[in-house]
């Protein structure tokens, strides 16, 4: 028992010592913690120096204890002093604005590329090279669209050998690559220039395009198949993929067909929408079945879309494959559903009527402007037409006609072919020349018409002149000198001559067809209180003659005539109106994929 009690007593003493030791350690730890907390606060509040910190440490913990705090405090000293050394004085907002440099309004310039792009694919364009109305459209519409600023507008056309050095010297070489076309692998060079906000690309291949003239060659099918393929291949090398591919007439029809077949699932091409515009449905691009693979490089599966009346019809294929297609006037869009106007394509037109639009062309009013046209004998305007009388007198002198003011000068500026109504003119022109009139004819065409008008000018030398030629300078002089402009077309998709005649104050006499119907409102109606010209409806020579005589009679009433002339000269045929309609069409097409 004694041993057990001694052992218990010793264990109890040990426990007491352990408790006391633990309590002592806790007190020391608490004291150290207090010193740690107090020291930084004192330093921060009083911003103590290194010397002051050392004295405080000595008083608190003695010399040995001072070593540890001194090290810690020295570290703290660095972190405490850094903010005070890098402190930046605040600047009042008003002061900041006052000190900022002033920026002039024109100093900030942003070159912003429009989100959407349209690439025109066409076989001709003014001023580079053209043969008719298509070149006028491609020379004017892209320029106006670019000026509107909503679309990035570009044009691709062949680099013909007839393009003058004046324009070639402005071109810059971009690149070259090979174009695969069926079993062929042809060189392609791309030249470019920028004019009036429009980027033009010229496809260079001398084998196909270094010739005199644009069309009428035995290999036109191959030439324009190559051009259409090159326009698409070019996109890869430029890294440029437009939202809209706007193709014109049969020469560019294969661009639409290739896009929707060979290129349909390729990266970059799959989002492109195709618009195909018909400028004249008479020329369709017809080829034999053997051309499908051998010439165009298209698979047999595409044949049904191009097959029409026993041949491959490129225009038909473009209508089938395009997202939308259009014509160059509202009336013509309705007319081509009729066999008389459609030249065999009425069935495919009617099948695809849901995607057909008619938009009337315009003219470049900066080019056709009697106030600034340097080719005229005297400039004039709608408000002051006195210069027009001078132009008439000078043209009469030039052509050897009597200088008569009381006789209206009637002009015809046209291709001499039946489609332009020349057969109607031939039928009744001698009856017309029996009146107090003068007639001037300018143009080229079928040999029988050229010979007839030469003979007529010889027989009626005091009243008629025939110039068998194309002459732009003389055309402007005739427009400005004419009182009446005759345009009796059998069919006219749009027509520009009647618009140009209006600009120069030559009152048009036209047949109500296509663009003539859309652009000329008849003065010779029951009201006779408006209109910018005279119109007849049936394709009949004597109905035409009756309306011409009505215009001649009205010419005798000078006040009445001046009103018609002013309405004609102030008619809005600008591209601004037409380009707005094209923009709506583009927006509508893009809306289908958004």
């Amino acid at each position: 028992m004694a041993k057990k009690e001694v052992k218990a007593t010793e264990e109890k003493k040990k426990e007491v010592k352990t408790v006391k030791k633990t309590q002592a350690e806790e007190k020391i730890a608490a004291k150290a913690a207090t010193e740690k907390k107090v020291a930084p606060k004192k330093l921060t509040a009083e911003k103590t120096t290194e010397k002051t910190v050392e004295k405080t440490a000595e008083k608190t913990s003695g010399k040995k204890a001072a070593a540890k705090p001194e090290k810690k405090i020295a570290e703290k000293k660095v972190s405490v002093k850094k903010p005070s050394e890098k402190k930046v004085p605040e600047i009042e907002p008003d002061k900041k604005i006052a000190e900022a440099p002033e920026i002039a309004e024109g100093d900030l310039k942003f070159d912003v590329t429009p989100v959407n792009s349209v690439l025109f694919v066409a076989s001709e364009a003014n001023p580079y090279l053209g043969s008719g109305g298509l070149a006028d459209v491609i020379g004017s519409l892209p320029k106006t669209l670019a000026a509107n600023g909503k679309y990035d507008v570009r044009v691709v056309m062949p680099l013909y050998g007839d393009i003058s050095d004046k324009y070639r010297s402005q071109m810059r070489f971009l690149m070259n690559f090979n174009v695969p076309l069926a079993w062929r692998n042809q060189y392609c060079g791309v030249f470019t220039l920028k004019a009036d906000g429009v980027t033009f690309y010229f496809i260079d291949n001398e084998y196909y395009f270094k010739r005199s003239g644009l069309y009428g060659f035995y290999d036109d099918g191959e030439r324009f198949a190559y051009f259409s393929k090159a326009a698409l291949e070019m996109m890869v090398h430029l890294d440029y993929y437009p939202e809209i591919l706007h193709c014109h007439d049969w020469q560019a029809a294969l661009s639409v067909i290739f896009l929707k077949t060979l290129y349909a699932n390729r990266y970059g091409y799959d989002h492109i929408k195709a618009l195909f515009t018909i400028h004249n449905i008479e020329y369709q691009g017809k080829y034999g079945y053997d051309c499908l693979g051998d010439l165009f490089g298209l698979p047999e599966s595409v044949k049904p879309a191009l097959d029409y009346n026993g041949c491959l019809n490129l225009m038909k294929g473009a209508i089938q494959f395009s997202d939308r297609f259009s014509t160059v006037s509202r009336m013509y869009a309705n007319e081509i559903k009729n066999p008389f106007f459609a030249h065999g394509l009425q069935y495919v037109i009617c099948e695809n009527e849901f995607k057909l639009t008619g938009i009337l062309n315009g003219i470049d009013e900066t080019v056709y402007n009697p106030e600034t046209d340097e080719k005229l004998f005297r400039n004039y305007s709608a408000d002051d037409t006195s210069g027009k009388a001078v132009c008439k007198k000078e043209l009469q002198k030039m052509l050897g006609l009597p200088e008569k003011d009381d006789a209206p000068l009637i002009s015809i500026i046209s291709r001499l072919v039946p489609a332009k109504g020349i057969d109607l003119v031939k039928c009744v022109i001698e009856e017309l020349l029996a009146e107090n009139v003068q007639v001037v004819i300018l143009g080229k065409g079928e040999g029988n018409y050229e010979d007839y008008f030469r003979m007529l000018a010889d027989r009626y030398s005091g009243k008629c002149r025939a110039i068998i030629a194309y002459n732009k300078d003389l055309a402007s002089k005739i427009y400005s000198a004419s009182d009446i402009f005759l345009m009796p077309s059998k069919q006219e998709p749009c027509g520009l001559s009647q618009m140009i005649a209006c600009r120069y104050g030559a009152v048009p006499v036209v047949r109500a067809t296509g663009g003539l119907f859309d652009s000329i409102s008849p003065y010779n109606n029951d009201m006779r209180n408006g209109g910018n010209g005279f119109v007849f409806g049936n394709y009949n020579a004597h109905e035409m003659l009756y309306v011409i005589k009505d215009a001649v009679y009205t010419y005798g009433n000078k006040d009445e005539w001046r009103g018609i002339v002013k309405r004609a000269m102030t008619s809005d045929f600008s591209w601004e109106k037409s380009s707005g309609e094209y923009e709506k069409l583009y927006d509508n097409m893009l809306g289908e994929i958004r």
Side-chain angles (χ1 to χ4, degrees):
M1 285 294 291
K3 285 181 181 180
K4 285 182 181 178
E5 286 175 359
V6 171
K7 193 176 181 181
T9 305
E10 286 175 357
E11 285 176 357
K12 201 169 185 180
K13 286 179 181 179
K14 283 180 183 179
E15 286 176 4
V16 170
K17 284 180 182 179
T18 304
V19 170
K20 285 182 179 178
K21 188 179 179 182
T22 303
Q23 287 176 348
E25 286 173 355
E26 286 176 353
K27 283 180 183 180
I28 292 166
K31 189 176 180 183
T34 305
E35 289 173 355
K36 283 181 183 178
K37 286 179 184 177
V38 170
K41 281 183 182 178
K42 193 172 182 184
L43 284 168
T44 306
E46 296 176 3
K47 298 181 182 178
T48 54
T49 61
E50 190 178 347
K51 198 171 182 180
T52 308
V53 172
E54 287 175 359
K55 284 181 182 179
T56 306
E58 284 174 9
K59 286 179 183 177
T60 308
S61 307
K63 286 184 181 178
K64 282 188 179 180
K68 271 190 177 180
E70 184 178 312
K71 190 177 179 182
K72 289 183 180 178
I73 290 165
E75 290 173 0
K76 291 283 181 181
K77 175 191 72 172
V78 175
S79 62
V80 169
K81 283 203 169 189
K82 266 188 178 178
S84 63
E85 288 171 359
K86 293 190 176 182
K87 191 173 181 182
V88 178
E90 292 184 3
I91 301 172
E92 293 177 8
D94 293 343
K95 193 173 181 183
K96 286 180 185 177
I97 294 167
E99 290 175 355
E102 291 186 6
I103 300 171
E105 190 176 343
D107 287 348
L108 290 176
K109 294 181 180 178
F110 301 95
D111 187 14
V112 180
T113 302
V115 174
N116 297 320
S117 179
V118 55
L119 176 65
F120 284 75
V121 184
S123 58
E124 57 185 81
N126 282 337
Y128 308 109
L129 202 64
S131 65
L134 173 61
D136 283 329
V137 172
I138 306 303
S140 301
L141 175 58
K143 178 171 66 174
T144 310
L145 286 168
N148 293 348
K150 190 172 182 179
Y151 283 87
D152 169 23
V153 185
R154 309 189 190 190
V155 177
V156 59
M157 67 174 286
L159 183 62
Y160 295 106
D162 287 346
I163 294 177
S164 71
D165 290 338
K166 172 186 173 182
Y167 299 114
R168 286 176 180 269
S169 63
Q170 299 172 27
M171 297 178 190
R172 177 171 56 89
F173 176 75
L174 275 183
M175 64 185 69
N176 67 277
F177 49 87
N178 280 11
V179 174
L181 184 66
W183 49 268
R184 303 162 192 80
N185 196 31
Q186 298 281 36
Y187 164 85
C188 177
V190 179
F191 290 79
T192 187
L193 66 80
K194 191 162 186 175
D196 299 311
V198 180
T199 301
F200 285 85
Y201 299 114
F202 298 87
I203 300 298
D204 175 40
N205 183 297
E206 294 189 350
Y207 172 72
Y208 289 128
F209 302 124
K210 193 176 182 181
R211 309 180 186 186
S212 179
L214 281 71
Y215 317 118
F217 299 98
Y218 75 97
D219 60 345
D220 276 357
E222 183 180 338
R223 294 170 72 223
F224 292 106
Y226 163 82
F227 167 64
S228 297
K229 194 80 177 291
L232 295 175
E233 284 292 317
M234 175 185 75
M235 296 178 189
V236 180
H237 300 277
L238 287 175
D239 192 22
Y240 161 72
Y241 301 94
E243 278 70 33
I244 302 285
L245 189 71
H246 192 168
C247 306
H248 298 261
D249 271 351
W250 78 264
Q251 293 91 345
L254 276 164
S255 290
V256 178
I257 298 166
F258 288 148
L259 176 69
K260 298 298 183 178
T261 55
L262 303 181
Y263 293 78
N265 298 315
R266 294 193 191 182
Y267 173 78
Y269 297 91
D270 49 2
H271 76 283
I272 300 175
K273 291 285 187 175
L275 171 62
F276 180 65
T277 297
I278 301 170
H279 293 262
N280 193 334
I281 203 168
E282 186 175 355
Y283 307 102
Q284 300 173 5
K286 298 178 182 179
Y287 293 93
Y289 292 130
D290 57 321
C291 294
L292 183 72
D294 184 65
L295 189 62
F296 305 142
L298 290 167
E300 196 69 21
S301 59
V302 179
K303 182 179 176 181
L306 276 64
D307 187 7
Y308 207 69
N309 290 339
C311 68
L312 300 178
N313 189 310
L314 300 183
M315 184 172 282
K316 186 251 185 178
I319 292 169
Q320 292 282 67
F321 281 115
S322 63
D323 297 286
R324 298 289 291 271
F325 74 106
S326 68
T327 64
V328 289
S329 70
R330 290 182 296 277
M331 176 58 80
Y332 195 58
N334 288 322
E335 288 176 338
I336 59 175
K337 301 170 193 174
N338 186 303
F340 180 77
F341 296 96
H343 293 274
L345 283 179
Q346 63 272 14
Y347 301 114
V348 71
I349 297 290
C350 291
E351 285 173 11
N352 292 275
E353 181 183 357
F354 66 95
K355 57 183 182 181
L356 173 61
T357 304
I359 299 175
L360 183 69
N361 284 339
I363 57 172
D364 190 334
E365 294 189 334
T366 60
V367 174
Y368 302 109
N369 186 352
E371 295 182 55
T372 58
D373 192 341
E374 296 178 353
K375 297 184 288 293
L376 306 190
F377 294 109
R378 180 74 60 84
N379 295 114
Y380 56 94
S381 67
D383 295 323
D384 180 8
T385 57
S386 57
K388 186 169 176 63
V390 176
C391 291
K392 179 178 179 179
K393 184 178 179 180
E394 292 299 322
L395 184 72
Q396 288 170 331
K397 283 182 185 178
M398 176 188 282
L399 299 180
L401 291 169
E403 295 175 31
K404 296 174 67 175
D405 182 57
D406 62 326
L409 180 62
I410 303 170
S411 64
I412 299 170
I413 302 174
S414 173
R415 285 186 296 119
L416 304 179
V417 294
K420 295 296 183 180
I422 300 302
D423 51 342
L424 298 186
V425 176
K426 183 180 177 181
C427 185
V428 298
I429 192 168
E430 293 194 59
E431 291 182 57
L432 176 61
L433 287 169
E435 303 291 328
N436 182 30
V437 299
Q438 294 177 338
V439 176
V440 175
I441 301 159
L442 174 66
K444 286 178 68 67
E446 295 183 5
N448 61 317
Y449 290 124
E450 292 181 358
D451 293 341
Y452 174 77
F453 289 120
R454 286 192 188 101
M455 178 274 295
L456 188 74
D458 289 340
R459 287 180 60 188
Y460 293 86
S461 59
K463 285 191 167 184
C464 181
R465 287 288 179 271
I467 302 97
I468 308 302
Y470 291 121
N471 189 316
K472 287 187 176 182
D473 181 85
L474 185 55
S476 291
K477 288 178 168 62
I478 293 172
Y479 280 125
S480 66
S482 300
D483 299 299
I484 297 170
F485 180 78
L486 180 58
M487 194 171 179
S489 303
K490 184 181 290 185
Q491 50 186 300
E492 194 65 59
C494 174
L496 300 178
S497 297
Q498 81 279 11
M499 299 181 191
I500 299 168
C502 282
R503 276 292 274 164
Y504 287 85
V507 177
V509 174
V510 302
R511 193 173 88 81
T513 183
L516 301 178
F517 177 88
D518 288 345
S519 58
I520 304 302
S521 55
Y523 174 78
N524 55 311
N525 57 19
D526 293 336
M527 301 299 291
R528 298 183 79 87
N529 61 356
N532 58 357
F534 292 77
V535 180
F536 66 99
N538 296 309
Y539 195 70
N540 180 284
H542 283 87
E543 184 177 335
M544 177 190 75
L545 179 62
Y546 176 83
V547 173
I548 296 172
K549 286 184 176 181
D550 188 10
V552 172
Y553 171 80
T554 308
Y555 175 80
N557 186 331
K558 296 300 182 184
D559 291 337
E560 198 172 356
W561 190 257
R562 274 193 291 270
I564 302 171
V565 170
K566 185 159 188 176
R567 283 192 294 275
M569 293 185 73
T570 55
S571 298
D572 184 7
F573 297 127
S574 66
W575 271 110
E576 280 74 14
K577 184 178 178 182
S578 301
S579 66
E581 293 188 49
Y582 274 109
E583 284 186 353
K584 287 179 185 176
L585 179 55
Y586 296 156
D587 292 344
N588 183 271
M589 292 172 67
L590 295 177
E592 295 171 8
I593 59 173
R594 285 176 180 173

